Amino acid sequence: MPYVNIKITKEGVSKEQKEALIKGTTQLLVDVLDKSPATTFVVIDEVDTDNWGIGFEQVTEIRKAAKK
Amino acid sequence: MPYVNIKITKEGVSKEQKEALIKGTTQLLVDVLDKSPATTFVVIDEVDTDNWGIGFEQVTEIRKAAKK
Amino acid sequence: MPYVNIKITKEGVSKEQKEALIKGTTQLLVDVLDKSPATTFVVIDEVDTDNWGIGFEQVTEIRKAAKK
Amino acid sequence: MPYVNIKITKEGVSKEQKEALIKGTTQLLVDVLDKSPATTFVVIDEVDTDNWGIGFEQVTEIRKAAKK
Amino acid sequence: MPYVNIKITKEGVSKEQKEALIKGTTQLLVDVLDKSPATTFVVIDEVDTDNWGIGFEQVTEIRKAAKK
Amino acid sequence: MPYVNIKITKEGVSKEQKEALIKGTTQLLVDVLDKSPATTFVVIDEVDTDNWGIGFEQVTEIRKAAKK
């Protein structure tokens, strides 16, 4: 009965990509720990790039700098 | 000083239902553990049905299948 | 398919009290949102009183002051 | 490699305030624990005031009462 | 820069199994979203079976019933 | 009424260091957002180095490699 929470930045992740994350994570828990898929939850949180910081910087600013 | 996080799918939960979850959870912590309501937090996260998976499937798809 | 995380300080909570929290929270989600108990998870985290702060203070110190 | 999650109510927090939270938290982890900023994540969740309860009440209602 | 939190019951998960979860999850984020492994965190929480409930029951009791 | 969760690896963090994290985080929320300390929670989770992965590796292994 695992619960997996995936936090990623909100940058145009498609429904199909979310499905791939859900399927892949669930399969991993089946393969590694023999968990039951019926009670395996995967919850994806998409976080605004203003709200995620790394190395003192907002991801919004990191993305801007990367484009220059 | 408990902190409770309730994650549910975003499917039209009303303000009154949220209030009922907050009141009920707080009362439970008072009744079972004698916690002070003044420092009991309840935070509700509503998750898009594309972003919640169970049994390899997105809840969006589970809801569609249930309607057929 | 709700997921509820209850964070409380680690101060001698019994197995029976945990069971009461699990049953009460699950019933609340059934009553308020008509959720299925079979896919309702309740996870309790017990946190060391050194690791929980409120009002600038560790709970360890708050408990000591309350006993004086 | 710390991960810090800051949950606050969604009440008009500016991009600059978020930046200040990210910079301040990261600096704190450098100062206290000598952590590397390059692998220090700060994630801010803004929560609707209907979805946050304290003392049995939704923050929405607490704010209304405070304005009277 | 994803952050993944895997919550599982504490039932003898080996260091190798944890490594497999970390490697598999990181690879999934590389494959699906082209994320950088260097800033992909995977954190595993092992939860006591008394502290995890599903369908009104503590996992401790579910495991006992399954052995009968 | 903010809630802050700091996740760090379990590597001998002292009670005084935890106190410094709690005080510093609370002060930051007072300074940046004018929050009330009385309803500001800081919860520190210490995670076993086997249970934290970054760049495909368990922190346990990263620490070993760094000592060579």
Side-chain angles (χ1 to χ4, degrees), chain D:
Chain D
M1 45 214 65
Y3 170 82
V4 180
N5 181 222
I6 300 174
K7 282 186 190 280
I8 49 178
T9 43
K10 191 177 186 71
E11 298 176 280
V13 180
S14 71
K15 189 183 165 192
E16 287 68 30
Q17 288 173 317
K18 292 173 187 176
E19 189 189 12
L21 291 175
I22 287 165
K23 285 193 191 303
T25 305
T26 306
Q27 191 60 51
L28 185 70
L29 284 152
V30 171
D31 292 346
V32 177
L33 296 177
D34 198 26
K35 295 291 183 183
S36 165
T39 51
T40 296
F41 288 4
V42 181
V43 174
I44 301 166
D45 290 337
E46 294 173 279
V47 177
D48 193 286
T49 55
D50 279 0
N51 290 21
W52 194 306
I54 175 168
F56 292 115
E57 297 293 329
Q58 282 169 308
V59 174
T60 309
E61 298 308 305
I62 294 171
R63 296 297 187 237
K64 272 189 205 166
K67 279 182 185 163
K68 281 178 189 169

Side-chain angles (χ1 to χ4, degrees), chain C residues 7 51 53-56 58 61, chain F residues 3 15 18 37 42 44 46:
Chain C
K7 282 187 190 280
N51 291 23
I54 175 167
F56 292 113
Q58 283 169 307
E61 298 308 305
Chain F
Y3 170 82
K15 188 183 166 192
K18 292 173 188 177
V42 182
I44 301 165
E46 296 173 278

Side-chain angles (χ1 to χ4, degrees), chain B:
Chain B
M1 48 213 66
Y3 170 81
V4 180
N5 183 223
I6 299 174
K7 282 188 191 278
I8 49 178
T9 43
K10 192 175 184 71
E11 299 176 280
V13 180
S14 71
K15 190 183 165 193
E16 287 68 30
Q17 287 173 318
K18 292 173 188 177
E19 189 190 13
L21 291 175
I22 288 167
K23 286 193 191 304
T25 306
T26 306
Q27 190 60 51
L28 185 69
L29 284 152
V30 171
D31 291 345
V32 176
L33 296 176
D34 197 26
K35 296 290 185 184
S36 165
T39 51
T40 296
F41 289 4
V42 182
V43 173
I44 301 166
D45 290 337
E46 295 173 278
V47 178
D48 193 285
T49 55
D50 279 1
N51 290 23
W52 196 305
I54 175 167
F56 292 114
E57 297 293 330
Q58 284 169 307
V59 173
T60 309
E61 298 309 305
I62 294 171
R63 295 295 187 242
K64 272 188 204 166
K67 280 185 185 159
K68 278 177 190 171

